[in-house]
DNA sequence: CTTATTCCCTGATTGC
DNA sequence: TGCAATCAGGGAATAA
């Protein structure tokens, strides 16, 4: 499930290979539900002939700046992958769209669970305007984090996953950041002290930066554009480690259902629900 | 404004 | 062995 480090890894690898190239044929849209807000024919015709002048990222969204006035935006959701190949595709299994670029390159949107989406809009803010701050940018300070959490009574992890509060964290890195900060995922988000907020801020930045340096995390779905997996999975300390020993204290990592998602945590380092460390 | 729940979808896993 | 039920989860939509 691509989160900020994975999407940023994809952005960098795509940027080095397809910036300056154009959509030389109408894209093949195999699943019309991939395309948001436009009819498929409008989408493919508007894209034809456009050159990709740059690729940026906002939260978990990829933004392809085009030579014309429109921006192509993609979100991979849980299982989406953007794969780049110099060979013609041979199977349409899980394939939702194929973009034909100059130089014989194919950019393929593969997505088994079909949650992913693309937009073609004049103003990217129509899609990404509601996102919270970028956690790796300079402007994201402990003070900003504290302000975003202030007054919130929902569980800390649920608020961290709210893209309008902070852009780019998903289930993996929310668990990792909370573990690193020693904070319980069920704590009321607005109940953090200033030192706790500072610790969380540092943990979020360090976790994301390390994952980015490792090329992202792969369980089963995330692939880089060249089809290779990420290398961060072995670095995970809490996420999906239920029953395994905490690397810090040796206690068994526990799992808790929270808002329909799993939260993994160390009962000794982060506390137990209803326990004295339950804030 | 807030928080909680439902839904989309299908491969993998679990249960019988 | 096979087949059904369950789980996983990003985030929009909906409900409260």
């Amino acid at each position: 499930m691509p989160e900020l480090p994975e999407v940023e890894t994809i952005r960098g690898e795509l940027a080095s290979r397809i910036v300056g190239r154009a959509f030389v044929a109408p894209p093949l849209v195999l699943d019309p539900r991939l395309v948001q807000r436009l009819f498929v024919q409008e989408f493919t015709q508007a894209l034809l002939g456009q050159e990709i002048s740059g690729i940026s990222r906002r939260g978990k969204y990829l933004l392809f700046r085009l030579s014309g006035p429109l921006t192509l935006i993609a979100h991979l959701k849980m299982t989406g992958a953007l794969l780049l190949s110099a060979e013609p595709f041979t199977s349409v299994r899980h394939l939702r769209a194929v973009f034909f670029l100059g130089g014989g390159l194919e950019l393929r949107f593969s997505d088994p669970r079909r949650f992913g989406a693309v937009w073609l809009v004049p103003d990217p803010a129509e899609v990404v305007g509601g996102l919270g701050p970028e956690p790796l940018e300079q402007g994201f300070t402990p003070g900003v984090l504290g302000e975003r959490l202030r007054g919130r009574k929902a569980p800390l992890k649920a608020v961290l996953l709210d893209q309008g509060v902070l852009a780019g964290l998903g289930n993996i890195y929310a668990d990792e950041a909370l573990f690193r900060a020693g904070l319980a995922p069920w704590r009321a988000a607005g109940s953090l002290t200033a030192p706790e907020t500072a610790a969380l801020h540092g943990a979020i930045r360090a976790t994301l930066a390390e994952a980015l340096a490792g090329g992202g995390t792969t369980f089963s779905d995330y692939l880089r554009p060249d089809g290779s997996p990420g290398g961060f999975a072995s670095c995970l300390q809490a996420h999906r480690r239920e029953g395994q020993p905490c690397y810090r204290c040796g206690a068994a990592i526990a799992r808790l259902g929270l808002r329909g998602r799993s939260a993994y945590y160390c009962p000794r380092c982060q506390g137990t629900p209803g326990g004295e460390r339950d804030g």
Side-chain angles (χ1 to χ4, degrees):
Chain A
M1 40 235 63
E3 304 178 21
L4 189 154
E6 290 76 33
V7 179
E8 180 61 27
T9 299
I10 293 166
R11 187 207 63 76
E13 297 184 7
L14 285 181
S16 68
R17 294 184 64 188
I18 67 174
V19 165
R21 297 203 184 273
F23 295 93
V24 297
L28 179 60
V29 177
L30 296 154
D31 178 0
R33 295 175 59 175
L34 175 70
V35 178
Q36 307 296 302
R37 302 186 191 181
L38 291 179
F39 292 113
V40 168
Q41 188 178 341
E42 297 176 304
F43 175 81
T44 57
Q45 293 202 346
L47 216 44
L48 181 59
Q50 292 292 307
E51 183 183 307
I52 299 169
S53 55
I55 308 176
S56 58
R57 179 194 54 75
R58 183 75 175 90
K60 304 175 193 173
Y61 293 80
L62 278 172
L63 291 79
F64 299 79
R65 193 167 59 255
L66 304 177
S67 47
L70 299 177
T71 299
L72 175 67
I73 302 178
H75 196 302
L76 302 172
K77 294 289 179 84
M78 288 180 58
T79 59
L82 282 169
L83 301 170
L84 197 59
S85 174
E87 305 293 325
F89 70 91
T90 56
S91 166
V92 296
R93 183 171 164 81
H94 300 153
L95 206 54
R96 301 185 70 199
V98 181
F99 299 90
F100 302 98
L101 299 170
L105 286 177
E106 279 186 10
L107 181 63
R108 304 175 194 150
F109 198 123
S110 173
D111 185 13
R113 288 185 204 174
R114 299 202 285 167
F115 285 178
V118 300
W119 298 258
L120 191 58
V121 293
D123 180 5
E126 292 176 31
V127 179
V128 300
L131 293 176
E134 283 290 326
L136 289 180
E137 285 190 356
Q138 291 283 336
F140 180 64
T141 61
V144 169
L145 178 60
E147 190 178 313
R148 311 297 294 192
L149 300 181
R150 186 171 305 144
R152 303 293 295 255
K153 293 176 180 170
L156 181 54
K157 182 174 173 187
V159 174
L160 291 180
L161 291 175
D162 183 340
Q163 302 299 296
V165 171
L166 188 61
L169 280 188
N171 218 22
I172 296 171
Y173 298 117
D175 278 347
E176 292 301 300
L178 288 169
F179 172 84
R180 189 186 282 247
L183 292 169
W186 54 84
R187 282 277 299 273
S191 73
L192 267 59
T193 64
E196 284 173 335
T197 303
L200 179 58
H201 170 268
I204 289 169
R205 303 242 302 193
T207 299
L208 292 176
E210 286 178 14
L212 184 55
T217 303
T218 293
F219 289 118
S220 57
D221 298 309
Y222 162 68
L223 294 174
R224 303 192 201 186
D226 66 359
S228 68
F232 191 67
S234 58
C235 302
L236 295 182
Q237 300 186 75
H239 190 73
R240 298 211 179 184
R241 293 197 63 242
E242 184 180 16
Q244 298 174 54
C246 170
Y247 293 135
R248 185 185 292 155
C249 77
I253 297 293
R255 182 170 74 140
L256 177 76
L258 196 69
R259 289 281 226 286
R261 302 287 182 266
S262 290
Y264 296 83
Y265 65 99
C266 172
R268 193 176 296 163
C269 297
Q270 295 169 266
T272 53
E276 61 183 27
R277 292 196 54 180
D278 188 12

